[in-house]
Amino acid sequence: MKDTSMTTTPRYSTRLSRRTFLGAMATGAGLISLPFNLRAAPGATGPAIAFDGDALILAEGTLSRSDGAGGWIELSAPAAGGILSLATHPGRPGRIAAGLAGGGVTLSEDGGHGWEARSQGLPDAPVTAVTVAAAEPDTIYAAIRGDGLWKSENAGRSWALAMDRPWLADAERDLTALASVDLATGMGGIWIYAGTELGLTRVPDCFCRWQSVQPGDAMDALASGKPAPSEAPLPEGETINALVSASSLPTRLYAALPSGIWMSEDAGVVWSQKSNARALAVAVHATNADHVVAITRDGLIESRDGGANWTALVRA
């Protein structure tokens, strides 16, 4: 059957997804994130980084945790396989969600020392990105390579499809990065921002349509049919390797791209380049939006002033 189309914007299409079509047929019949992390082979680890309180959790070859005194403690990696992505939430200190190269999500409740598989219902494919809902620490989102965006409302004990992959430039595109952003302009105050190999997109938590990032609230953006009017967007056509929102300042976003580390102060409409180091992953402190750490091709770098200045972060 020929695929039908809904209203489109110049960049982001809202074609009827294969899942929506198949779901509608089943109901009628009465039937019940190539970018770096997408190229990673099963068993590979990282690069991924996240803050857990003041400590850093680092997956880069091995899994380790900063000890607060300039040193690092090596952690046992999840038995299920190598880590591609990490996510934490300030409301659940010690809890770390990890997306695995071999498929599935695993959780640690003790700062990364022990792990438990939380993959019931997820497709068997690499989890390229994970994020925790800004206002709901038991709600986790996972980007599945070749599939779409999945959601768990019980800390990963069960999962359901939330959204197909975005349709960009005449093809479905994998999600390479995820961030939950707490903004008054969202449906219920939440947006899910996503990186792709072609740039940035987002969806309000109604999960009604992927769309360009633009000023205004969710309904305005859905109805406008216009691309983002930003004078300084992220570079188009460039893979977003990682994306984070500052919990203490939700309109502050950081993105890791091959061209460097970028920052937005207005929830992703206007961006400025803060480093030209080839960036693979980025993390921001939960209570200090100026404290950011990134993994680059040349190693770990850290800024305490929102990216104005950077220093090498040595792993002792």
Side-chain angles (χ1 to χ4, degrees):
M1 180 175 290
K2 188 175 181 180
D3 192 8
T4 58
S5 298
M6 298 167 65
T7 304
T8 62
T9 70
R11 272 188 72 192
Y12 299 105
S13 170
T14 56
R15 293 166 63 105
L16 180 66
S17 76
R18 65 189 186 282
R19 294 183 183 276
T20 303
F21 174 73
L22 292 174
M25 289 197 65
T27 300
L31 303 174
I32 303 294
S33 142
L34 288 176
F36 184 92
N37 56 359
L38 295 187
R39 292 198 305 266
T45 296
I49 193 168
F51 274 97
D52 179 25
D54 292 329
L56 282 166
I57 308 298
L58 175 65
E60 190 182 25
T62 60
L63 185 65
S64 56
R65 179 185 177 96
S66 64
D67 64 8
W72 294 80
I73 303 166
E74 188 166 338
L75 302 172
S76 297
I83 292 172
L84 289 183
S85 49
L86 293 167
T88 58
H89 193 286
R92 293 290 186 275
R95 177 184 285 175
I96 303 161
L100 303 179
V105 171
T106 184
L107 253 68
S108 174
E109 299 284 4
D110 59 5
H113 296 279
W115 297 89
E116 178 184 346
R118 298 284 178 89
S119 304
Q120 182 66 38
L122 280 178
D124 186 17
V127 178
T128 56
V130 287
T131 192
V132 182
E136 301 173 9
D138 286 338
T139 297
I140 304 173
Y141 296 92
I144 311 298
R145 185 198 297 181
D147 194 279
L149 179 67
W150 286 69
K151 177 181 180 179
S152 172
E153 295 180 329
N154 52 13
R157 292 179 176 84
S158 62
W159 294 85
L161 180 74
M163 196 76 177
D164 273 345
R165 295 177 296 170
W167 186 273
L168 307 172
D170 298 321
E172 277 194 339
R173 305 292 176 174
D174 278 314
L175 304 177
T176 60
L178 289 175
S180 176
V181 184
D182 189 359
L183 298 174
T185 61
M187 303 274 194
I190 299 295
W191 289 91
I192 302 299
Y193 281 61
T196 74
E197 62 186 306
L198 297 180
L200 185 66
T201 184
R202 69 178 181 177
V203 63
D205 66 355
C206 63
F207 299 106
C208 36
R209 193 185 79 186
W210 293 106
Q211 61 181 247
S212 300
V213 179
Q214 56 185 293
D217 64 29
M219 290 307 298
D220 287 343
L222 286 170
S224 70
K226 297 178 181 179
S230 171
E231 295 181 359
L234 281 172
E236 291 191 14
E238 191 171 349
T239 298
I240 298 177
N241 292 322
L243 185 67
V244 291
S245 169
S247 299
S248 60
L249 187 61
T251 56
R252 171 86 61 87
L253 304 177
Y254 293 95
L257 278 70
S259 61
I261 301 162
W262 294 72
M263 184 184 76
S264 173
E265 296 279 19
D266 61 358
V269 178
V270 176
W271 292 83
S272 58
Q273 189 175 16
K274 294 300 180 179
S275 169
N276 61 7
R278 185 176 178 85
L280 306 174
V282 64
V284 61
H285 195 284
T287 61
N288 182 358
D290 288 332
H291 187 188
V292 58
V293 178
I295 304 174
T296 73
R297 290 292 190 187
D298 298 321
L300 283 177
I301 59 173
E302 178 181 43
S303 175
R304 299 274 183 162
D305 55 13
N309 296 281
W310 296 89
T311 57
L313 187 58
V314 179
R315 295 178 63 186

